[in-house]
Amino acid sequence: MRKHIFNAGPCVLADVVRENTAKAVIELGNSGQSIMEVSHRSKDFEPIIKEAADLLKEILNIPEGYSVLFLGGGASLQFAMVPFNFLNTKAAYLNTGTWASGAIKEARLFGEVQVLASSEDKNFNYYPKGYTIPTDVDYFHITTNNTIYGTEILRDIDSPVPLIADMSSDILSRPVDVSKYDLIYAGAQKNMGPAGVTVVIIKNEFLERVTRTNIPTMLKYRVHVENGSMKNTPPCTAIFTVREVLRWVKSIGGVREMDRRAQAKADLLYHAIDSSKLFVGTVAKEDRSRMNICFVMKEGYKDKEADFIAFAGTKGVIGIKGHRSVGGFRASCYNALDIASVQVLVDAMAEYEKSIL
Amino acid sequence: MRKHIFNAGPCVLADVVRENTAKAVIELGNSGQSIMEVSHRSKDFEPIIKEAADLLKEILNIPEGYSVLFLGGGASLQFAMVPFNFLNTKAAYLNTGTWASGAIKEARLFGEVQVLASSEDKNFNYYPKGYTIPTDVDYFHITTNNTIYGTEILRDIDSPVPLIADMSSDILSRPVDVSKYDLIYAGAQKNMGPAGVTVVIIKNEFLERVTRTNIPTMLKYRVHVENGSMKNTPPCTAIFTVREVLRWVKSIGGVREMDRRAQAKADLLYHAIDSSKLFVGTVAKEDRSRMNICFVMKEGYKDKEADFIAFAGTKGVIGIKGHRSVGGFRASCYNALDIASVQVLVDAMAEYEKSIL
């Protein structure tokens, strides 16, 4: 039986995406070959990667002068690629959680890193504010949504220096003003597809800032831009699925509709948490993520957390165990999660609460 | 209609591999989730990556003390990872083609490179011999099969220094004495699965040779060994398919049977080429690849090459156009290509030859 999938990533995909991928794994159209078998340099595959890039440009309203790349290695490889290409002397970072910390660690291998603000003092349960972005840095790096701690910025900030954003866990969940960013990257396995491909949106002009001459070929953004993500064999099957996800997003109304749905799901679940006598949120209300909703049981009931996970499991709810850094629960409500699944979780919370209070 | 797929990679996969992947894309076992949706840190996925590693160890008879990794980024990323980790002062390389040249180019970013021998003088149409491996280098790097030019070494050489091999296009096609290598890497999209995952077999002791302290986290072999390829989200779906390929290889007799089949297919096609009045091989006979069989039309008939590709197409044969560096034809006969497909090609060659001579 199909589960209610609250996984933090990889995570739930729309039925049509799974079905079309499965079909293509057997045979891609009438090509006589599987999507796993077709040459990446063929009339079978080239239109797929082109359509995926074009759809992303359309859906996110990406201005002229930007390139869309599909790379392997995960967002974590971007943590190093960004400074390898663009950190010439100094860069500014915001430390908003585990992945932001990871990006900072990699940047320090390449130059000076100024951490403008950090929410580590409160176990990353808020999004830092009131910092000033210096003008003498090569770029400013942010993580727009923090998957583990459940905070999200939900707006496009103005930066006097090139702005780089890891949007792995909230891309495509709202309209974004891409013109404010010089580089956006996102592992696909939340809102965009399966694990195994990372999307990069890069302003072509930004490539001119690269001065290092010792960058390995596969870590050079310019190489990937010039080769249309095909310097080597790209992860073709994962890119096919990304195209299916983008077709699906477009078909149901694009990022405006995703935004509306994300808000509705988050409102439903946060309301349940806030009105509960048993459950309590872990994140400052104004910084709450709509993608990863973190909560715990109130003091005195902590020993029931595992029991509730098992109880929710009997309702078909999976993936709600919180990350070990936070504990409790994390319900990830990505684009493809239906609000009906959130209702199942909310009902389970109410039923469980009634049973023990 | 199913084609006869001679693609150089991505390439043909066994029916059972496509079918089981398609099923898992809809639902992985009875998990209520797709293989694209399951958490990589779950009881649904962890046994899959473990089984894949264990099967590879069993099939290739990998000795104790080696680790098997599943990484993103393609074999081309290994071109940089190898020297980033292991080139402390000087390394030796064999230049046997485009990909070997690519590996050499990356190594030069990290230290001195001694190219022991090159077959570039004859457009890489032979495998160099008679070189001496120096003992004062950090490692010796070879490419066992050259996909573009169609040469292959087909034996495990003895090296006085750590031996590193790019086996992207012939791994699993014959028994290999893994104990002779300190590191083997291979993009999966030839004999092992779909594009999007690269397999690394590394001797754990070799990790102790790493002295550089500025290696990005995702490029450190040690990090991937210590985290069981799960430092970040691995390409789960591609790894699932690799497991299916390994199950299939094991089920039909392992690498001994693959070796026998590779020889039978190569014998059939090379015999057809050698006995033809129209077609001629491009590679020195003793160095001919069994994986990528390159040939052209004899002088005077070059203008018929495109016509033959179209003619073979009418028989369901695809992917035989030679790489632009060589021209003519390249029939890639990877593990999952049935000998019946080779017979179709051989028959098409004979029929075409008869029609124009």
Side-chain angles (χ1 to χ4, degrees), chain A residues 1-5 7 9-15 17-19 21-23 25-27 30-41 44 72-77 80 84 99 105-106 109-110 189-190 193-196 213-220 231-238 241 318 324, chain B residues 1-5 7 9-15 17-19 21-23 25-27 30-41 44 72-77 80 84 99 105-106 109-110 189-190 193-196 213-220 231-238 241 318 324:
Chain A
M1 206 188 69
R2 185 86 175 135
K3 302 286 188 185
H4 302 288
I5 303 172
N7 293 341
C11 62
V12 63
L13 294 170
D15 290 344
V17 170
R18 288 183 298 123
E19 287 156 10
T21 301
K23 266 185 223 163
V25 162
I26 295 295
E27 183 178 3
N30 298 311
S31 68
Q33 306 169 77
S34 165
I35 178 64
M36 304 191 297
E37 298 173 322
V38 294
S39 169
H40 55 299
R41 300 191 190 282
D44 300 301
S76 296
L77 188 61
F84 221 147
W99 302 112
K105 183 186 166 203
E106 299 308 295
L109 296 171
F110 299 93
Q189 70 272 16
K190 321 283 186 182
T213 55
N214 65 342
I215 308 172
T217 303
M218 296 306 295
L219 301 185
K220 281 183 186 164
K231 174 66 184 172
N232 68 342
T233 315
C236 303
T237 310
T241 305
I318 58 163
R324 62 184 182 280
Chain B
M1 206 190 69
R2 184 88 175 134
K3 302 284 188 187
H4 302 287
I5 304 171
N7 293 342
C11 63
V12 62
L13 294 170
D15 290 344
V17 169
R18 289 183 298 121
E19 287 157 11
T21 301
K23 266 186 223 163
V25 161
I26 295 296
E27 183 178 4
N30 297 311
S31 69
Q33 306 169 78
S34 165
I35 178 64
M36 304 191 297
E37 298 173 322
V38 294
S39 169
H40 56 298
R41 300 191 190 283
D44 299 302
S76 296
L77 188 61
F84 222 148
W99 302 112
K105 183 185 167 205
E106 299 308 295
L109 296 171
F110 299 93
Q189 70 272 15
K190 320 281 186 182
T213 55
N214 65 342
I215 309 172
T217 303
M218 296 308 293
L219 301 185
K220 282 183 186 166
K231 175 65 184 173
N232 69 341
T233 314
C236 302
T237 310
T241 306
I318 58 163
R324 64 183 179 280

Side-chain angles (χ1 to χ4, degrees), chain B residues 63-84:
Chain B
E64 286 293 304
Y66 282 75
S67 297
V68 171
L69 307 177
F70 299 96
L71 307 180
S76 296
L77 188 61
Q78 298 301 310
F79 295 170
M81 272 179 76
V82 162
F84 222 148

Side-chain angles (χ1 to χ4, degrees), chain A residues 98-140:
Chain A
T98 304
W99 302 112
S101 303
I104 290 165
K105 183 186 166 203
E106 299 308 295
R108 289 200 167 119
L109 296 171
F110 299 93
E112 192 184 334
V113 174
Q114 205 174 332
V115 178
L116 301 191
S118 167
S119 47
E120 198 171 4
D121 59 329
K122 292 186 176 170
N123 201 31
F124 299 112
N125 77 351
Y126 67 99
Y127 210 96
K129 294 159 202 78
Y131 55 84
T132 304
I133 305 168
T135 54
D136 65 341
V137 294
D138 294 309
Y139 61 83
F140 176 41

Side-chain angles (χ1 to χ4, degrees), chain B residues 156-167:
Chain B
D156 303 311
I157 62 176
D158 293 298
S159 170
V161 296
L163 181 61
I164 297 182
D166 175 358
M167 291 194 185

Side-chain angles (χ1 to χ4, degrees), chain A residues 35-55:
Chain A
I35 178 64
M36 304 191 297
E37 298 173 322
V38 294
S39 169
H40 55 299
R41 300 191 190 282
S42 70
K43 65 176 183 358
D44 300 301
F45 183 71
E46 285 177 357
I48 293 170
I49 192 168
K50 182 176 184 314
E51 185 186 340
D54 288 347
L55 276 170

